[in-house]
Amino acid sequence: MKNMIIKAACAALIAVIGSGVMVSPVLAAECAPGTAAHEYEDWKWIENNAARTADSYAAEHQPMATYIHATTEVVFLEGREGYFVYLENTSSTGAISTAILQPNFDFCDDPGKLNDSDPNLMTVVQGTFNGQPF
C-alpha cells in the first residue's frame, strides 16, 4: 500500500512540473525481474549518492530540507516510462523533506559498475519541504 501511495505522489509531482523539466527517460521499459539496479547489493552506494545529490540540490533551493537519513523507494512509472528514486526524511523537529530523482544511467544493469561519487548519476526532478515544492 505504501508503494502505491509513493507511486501516486511521484506521478502527481512529476505531472505538476511536467514540461518544465528537461530530463529524458533513460529506459523505455521496466527491467526484467532481478536486473533492476536497486535489486543488486551495490545499490546501497547509489542510494547514498541519491541522498547526497538531493542534499546538494536542497542546499541551493531550500537549505532547511535534508536527505542524509532518508528512506528510499524505487518506483517505475509507466506513464513516464522510467524509474525514479523517491527519498523521504522526517527530521527530529518533525519537518518532512521529500525528493524525486531520475537516474542518468541504465537502471537495468549492475550499479557496481558505476562510480558512486559521480554527482551526475541522478537528477533531482522535484524536492519538497513540509509539502512545499522547491
Side-chain angles (χ1 to χ4, degrees), residues 11 17 20 23 30 33 37 41 43 48-49 51 53 66 73 77 89 93 99 102 104 107 109 114 118 120-121 123 132:
I17 57 175
V23 177
E30 197 164 2
E41 184 179 335
W43 173 249
N48 186 277
N49 177 286
T53 299
T66 183
E73 296 283 336
L77 298 178
N89 185 56
T93 63
Q102 186 170 30
N104 297 324
F107 206 80
D109 201 3
L114 300 171
D118 182 352
N120 298 308
L121 283 182
T123 299
Q132 298 301 308

Side-chain angles (χ1 to χ4, degrees), residues 6-76:
I6 291 170
K7 266 189 172 180
C10 288
L13 282 172
I14 290 169
V16 167
I17 57 175
S19 62
V21 175
M22 300 300 292
V23 177
S24 59
V26 174
L27 298 175
E30 197 164 2
C31 300
T35 64
H38 69 291
E39 297 173 318
Y40 288 88
E41 184 179 335
D42 284 334
W43 173 249
K44 62 187 172 196
W45 308 116
I46 306 308
E47 269 184 312
N48 186 277
N49 177 286
R52 290 191 319 265
T53 299
D55 264 343
S56 178
Y57 181 85
E60 293 181 24
H61 298 89
Q62 174 47 276
M64 298 289 290
T66 183
Y67 301 96
I68 290 302
H69 298 290
T71 58
T72 306
E73 296 283 336
V74 173
V75 294
F76 178 79

Side-chain angles (χ1 to χ4, degrees), residues 18 87 115:
L87 302 176
N115 174 359

